[in-house]
Amino acid sequence: MLGGDHPDTLTSRNNLAYAYRSAGNLRRAIPLFERTLADRERVLGEDHPDTLQSRNNLASAYRSAGDLRRAIPLFERTLADAERVLGSDHPETLRLRNNLAGAYEAVGDLSRAVRLLERNVTDCERILGGDHPDTLNSRHNLAGAYELAGDLRRAIPLYASTLADCERVLGKDHPLTRLVRSNLRALQ
């Protein structure tokens, strides 16, 4: 009824691809993400927020499939475009920076991952506040990058303070709180 190019159709296809990815079916998710990105670029333009979301989703699916050779350039392009279009202080830009840092971490480029995550934590605290769930997640990710880099002197206190804040803000049983607690316990 709406047609293949209608924005609602594109959103539905994106959501279906996301469901496949969440279920671990990357064989079906990736082609849908690729098609949705191509259609959103054609219909909405390369700078539209939905197009940026599609590019990030495809990069994330590539990362989940272990194809970091394709994921990282896509994450880099998406972040650069988001900074230009949305601004460096936009919450979506902060999430995209976090995703790129995670991809750098996955390929062992810890110096770039740490630099991006340190910037992201600072920006999240300034923009969203110290208690925002995205800020807490960024702090957890930075502690994890410090840990992978062997810098336990910075990782352990950051895990500990993040755990205290997660328990206070999100509750003791929240998934992020449990993850931070587990990572801290592994180091003690």
Side-chain angles (χ1 to χ4, degrees), residues 5 29 31 37 50 55 58 65 67 108 111 141 148-149 154 158-159:
D5 286 346
L37 174 58
D50 289 349
R55 198 176 303 130
L58 178 57
D67 190 351
S111 63
N141 291 342
L148 285 174
R154 290 197 291 180
L158 187 54
Y159 274 136

Side-chain angles (χ1 to χ4, degrees), residues 77-99:
R77 177 179 174 205
T78 306
L79 177 58
D81 288 349
E83 287 175 337
R84 179 177 48 77
V85 173
L86 303 173
S88 60
D89 288 354
H90 193 280
E92 186 61 23
T93 304
L94 299 174
R95 281 189 281 283
L96 293 169
R97 189 180 304 134
N98 188 67
N99 291 349

Side-chain angles (χ1 to χ4, degrees), residues 14 17-18 20-22 24-34 53-68 70-72 74-75 99:
N14 180 72
Y18 192 83
Y20 282 136
R21 178 177 174 243
S22 296
N25 190 343
L26 295 172
R27 183 184 58 76
R28 295 185 83 174
I30 289 174
L32 277 176
F33 279 134
E34 290 171 336
Q53 178 194 46
S54 282
R55 198 176 303 130
N56 178 67
N57 289 347
L58 178 57
S60 295
Y62 286 153
R63 180 179 174 201
S64 294
D67 190 351
L68 292 162
R70 288 200 292 179
I72 289 176
L74 213 49
F75 277 132
N99 291 349

Side-chain angles (χ1 to χ4, degrees), residues 11-183:
T11 296
S12 292
R13 191 181 321 131
N14 180 72
N15 292 345
L16 178 59
Y18 192 83
Y20 282 136
R21 178 177 174 243
S22 296
N25 190 343
L26 295 172
R27 183 184 58 76
R28 295 185 83 174
I30 289 174
L32 277 176
F33 279 134
E34 290 171 336
R35 180 176 167 208
T36 303
L37 174 58
D39 288 347
R40 279 184 165 168
E41 287 177 339
R42 180 177 49 77
V43 173
L44 302 174
E46 292 193 1
D47 289 344
H48 191 280
D50 289 349
T51 304
L52 298 177
Q53 178 194 46
S54 282
R55 198 176 303 130
N56 178 67
N57 289 347
L58 178 57
S60 295
Y62 286 153
R63 180 179 174 201
S64 294
D67 190 351
L68 292 162
R69 179 188 56 78
R70 288 200 292 179
I72 289 176
L74 213 49
F75 277 132
E76 290 171 337
R77 177 179 174 205
T78 306
L79 177 58
D81 288 349
E83 287 175 337
R84 179 177 48 77
V85 173
L86 303 173
S88 60
D89 288 354
H90 193 280
E92 186 61 23
T93 304
L94 299 174
R95 281 189 281 283
L96 293 169
R97 189 180 304 134
N98 188 67
N99 291 349
L100 176 58
Y104 286 152
E105 187 177 291
V107 295
D109 191 346
L110 297 177
S111 63
R112 286 206 303 190
V114 165
R115 279 194 310 273
L116 276 180
L117 289 167
E118 286 174 340
R119 176 179 174 201
N120 218 46
V121 166
T122 299
D123 288 350
C124 282
E125 289 174 344
R126 177 177 53 81
I127 297 161
L128 304 173
D131 289 345
H132 192 280
D134 287 352
T135 303
L136 297 173
N137 186 57
S138 288
R139 288 174 56 203
H140 170 257
N141 291 342
L142 177 57
Y146 286 152
E147 177 185 354
L148 285 174
D151 190 351
L152 299 183
R153 181 185 56 77
R154 290 197 291 180
I156 292 172
L158 187 54
Y159 274 136
S161 66
T162 303
L163 176 59
D165 290 341
C166 284
E167 288 177 343
R168 179 178 50 79
V169 174
L170 303 173
K172 292 182 183 287
D173 293 327
H174 188 277
L176 180 59
T177 305
R178 291 195 318 258
L179 181 60
V180 175
R181 184 182 304 116
S182 174
N183 288 337

